[in-house]
Amino acid sequence: MSSSSSLSRDEKALFILILGALTAFGPLSIDMYLPAFTQIGKDFQVSIAQVEWSLAAFFAGLSIGQLFYGPLSDRYGRKRPLIFGMTVYIAASIGCALSTEIEMLVAFRFLQALGGCAGMVISRAMVRDLFNHSESARVFSLLMLVMGLAPILAPIFGGYLLRVSDWHSIFWLISALAALCIFAVYNWLPETHRTETAPRQTNSVLSTYLSILQDPTFTWNALAGGFAQAGMFAYITGSPFVFMELYGISPDHYGWFFGLNAFGLILASQLNARLLKKRSPDQVLRYSLRVTMLAGLALFGSSLTSTLMPGGFVQNVGLMGVTAPLFFYIASLGMVFPNTTAEALAHQGHRAGAASALIGTLQFVLASLASLTVSLMHSKSSLPMTSVIAFCGVSAMISQSLYRHHGLRSRQTV
């Protein structure tokens, strides 16, 4: 197994760049086809609400798939399961491109997520393999910088791609990008896990997961990050309707709204890396989650006001009333994600793959529920999206408060 001290500065930079690209396949697969929702609906002669099911299926695949890659990477090393997962991702992406009805697209999106989640799970585990608690929080912040480019560029590029081609080309493109990523993993990514120290009994996987959940540091921080992320995915699910249908934003301009929020996330993640030089991840979380909660509540309040008081000044500033709180909510996640992840994995070094998988599953189960709730509540207002985001922001803050009350107390008494 490698260690952070054994890697040169250039090797560390390449390591973080490749892991960032692997992690980015999640947002890339989600965000690039968002501007195509209207076109997909017209092609398949279905509503946007039905197209949103392809997004919910992707979230469900991410939730389920991660449970398998964690134990596999603990047992067989990080690279082989990673390459297998990306190969599945490519095959499913080609299936998406060839889909001729909405049911096919939904099914292949589910398979696409089952493959693509390998990069998300294993990249977190590899960071924990090489870096200690404080260092890993800073590295996760750097990964946010690389990963954050995907939400900025993907919907913008997807929107412009629709001008010269159709939605099928989006899936052909991400298939090619995944193939390049496999080449980089095979040739340049080091193996970071000693397989000879891995558990040999596969029937202990369930007991391993149950044991991890008994650690309050893991559970409450994973839930705090999960609820915060669920709010972001409620935004991802609802924003095509809110921006393009409700406020009349064109598909190519929609990408710029989406990119602005992702840019805020990148700035916050780099501020987080600087703050961690003087403060602990837990200290930064106390303040960043307050911003998450307050921004969510402000977003809901603005949406409720414009819905109950249509017309006049309130209606004219409705778009700004949505975009401003959304910016602060999404930006705050640049501090929430790295620190909740680092805190949750702090005591899980010997089973980092399984713990990373469980983090991802908890988070994307919540994301799937948030996405599904927005779809089921679909109406002619922004309230379905904004109410779910507000709920998630409050729940994230409550989870962190419960950790501070119960988790820290249990650690102090050990």
Side-chain angles (χ1 to χ4, degrees):
M1 179 177 66
S2 304
S3 66
S4 61
S5 59
S6 67
L7 298 177
S8 67
R9 183 174 181 178
D10 290 342
E11 288 173 332
K12 285 183 181 179
L14 183 61
F15 176 81
I16 293 171
L17 181 63
I18 294 174
L19 292 191
L22 290 169
T23 307
F25 270 97
L28 186 70
S29 304
I30 295 165
D31 303 335
M32 186 172 285
Y33 94 128
L34 291 180
F37 269 31
T38 301
Q39 189 182 108
I40 293 172
K42 290 180 179 178
D43 266 14
F44 294 148
Q45 297 182 341
V46 297
S47 66
I48 287 185
Q50 288 174 281
V51 178
E52 288 173 354
W53 278 95
S54 66
L55 198 56
F58 191 85
F59 296 156
L62 290 177
S63 305
I64 296 170
Q66 295 188 66
L67 287 173
F68 296 97
Y69 290 109
L72 285 175
S73 69
D74 283 341
R75 180 68 185 92
Y76 298 106
R78 308 302 188 202
K79 291 183 66 171
R80 284 188 289 174
L82 181 54
I83 292 173
F84 171 78
M86 294 305 296
T87 303
V88 172
Y89 177 88
I90 293 173
S93 298
I94 293 173
C96 290
L98 298 175
S99 295
T100 56
E101 55 187 21
I102 190 64
E103 291 80 7
M104 286 181 63
L105 180 63
V106 170
F108 279 118
R109 285 287 285 172
F110 179 77
L111 292 174
Q112 189 187 40
L114 288 180
C117 67
M120 303 170 67
V121 173
I122 296 174
S123 60
R124 287 192 298 262
M126 294 181 85
V127 170
R128 187 60 187 85
D129 288 340
L130 294 184
F131 301 95
N132 63 30
H133 178 207
S134 297
E135 289 176 330
S136 64
R138 289 194 292 271
V139 173
F140 285 130
S141 293
L142 292 174
L143 289 180
M144 293 295 293
L145 174 61
V146 180
M147 187 182 71
L149 291 174
I152 292 177
L153 299 178
I156 296 173
F157 193 75
Y160 282 108
L161 193 60
L162 292 174
R163 286 186 167 188
V164 298
S165 185
D166 57 21
W167 64 268
H168 301 85
S169 61
I170 294 173
F171 291 103
W172 287 115
L173 177 61
I174 59 179
S175 300
L177 294 175
L180 290 175
C181 212
I182 288 180
F183 177 83
V185 168
Y186 184 82
N187 289 281
W188 299 318
L189 197 66
E191 177 58 68
T192 62
H193 185 63
R194 286 197 301 263
T195 57
E196 63 269 18
T197 64
R200 297 182 181 274
Q201 297 181 355
T202 56
N203 60 0
S204 65
V205 170
L206 180 59
S207 62
T208 298
Y209 282 139
L210 291 175
S211 176
I212 292 171
L213 286 172
Q214 291 173 7
D215 177 5
T217 301
F218 173 88
T219 302
W220 290 119
N221 280 288
L223 285 174
F227 276 117
Q229 178 171 270
M232 183 181 72
F233 281 92
Y235 150 67
I236 291 171
T237 301
S239 62
F241 169 78
V242 171
F243 286 113
M244 292 189 288
E245 297 290 327
L246 194 60
Y247 291 108
I249 305 299
S250 65
D252 51 326
H253 289 162
Y254 163 77
W256 290 104
F257 281 89
F258 208 84
L260 178 64
N261 290 326
F263 183 67
L265 184 146
I266 289 177
L267 289 179
S269 68
Q270 299 319 294
L271 174 61
N272 183 64
R274 292 180 176 273
L275 291 174
L276 288 171
K277 294 179 180 179
K278 297 182 179 180
R279 295 174 175 83
S280 69
D282 178 65
Q283 289 174 322
V284 177
L285 269 175
R286 268 186 281 174
Y287 297 100
S288 57
L289 279 170
R290 290 175 186 173
V291 175
T292 306
M293 179 182 68
L294 292 174
L297 292 173
L299 176 64
F300 174 70
S302 174
S303 177
L304 183 63
T305 301
S306 62
T307 301
L308 296 178
M309 302 173 60
F313 175 76
V314 172
Q315 186 65 25
N316 291 333
V317 299
L319 179 60
M320 181 59 67
V322 169
T323 54
L326 263 179
F327 176 83
F328 286 103
Y329 185 97
I330 301 300
S332 71
L333 304 185
M335 295 184 175
V336 173
F337 286 169
N339 294 315
T340 54
T341 303
E343 285 284 293
L345 293 177
H347 307 136
Q348 307 297 331
H350 59 297
R351 50 191 182 187
S356 175
L358 197 52
I359 286 177
T361 295
L362 287 172
Q363 291 179 348
F364 278 98
V365 164
L366 294 173
S368 299
L369 292 174
S371 175
L372 181 61
T373 302
V374 172
S375 296
L376 292 175
M377 292 173 61
H378 190 82
S379 68
K380 295 182 179 180
S381 76
S382 58
L383 278 176
M385 180 187 78
T386 59
S387 60
V388 173
I389 291 174
F391 173 82
C392 291
V394 172
S395 298
M397 186 67 203
I398 291 174
S399 297
Q400 178 65 9
S401 299
L402 288 172
Y403 161 64
R404 296 193 60 77
H405 181 70
H406 296 291
L408 288 177
R409 178 180 295 179
S410 65
R411 286 168 58 182
Q412 292 169 355
T413 57
V414 173

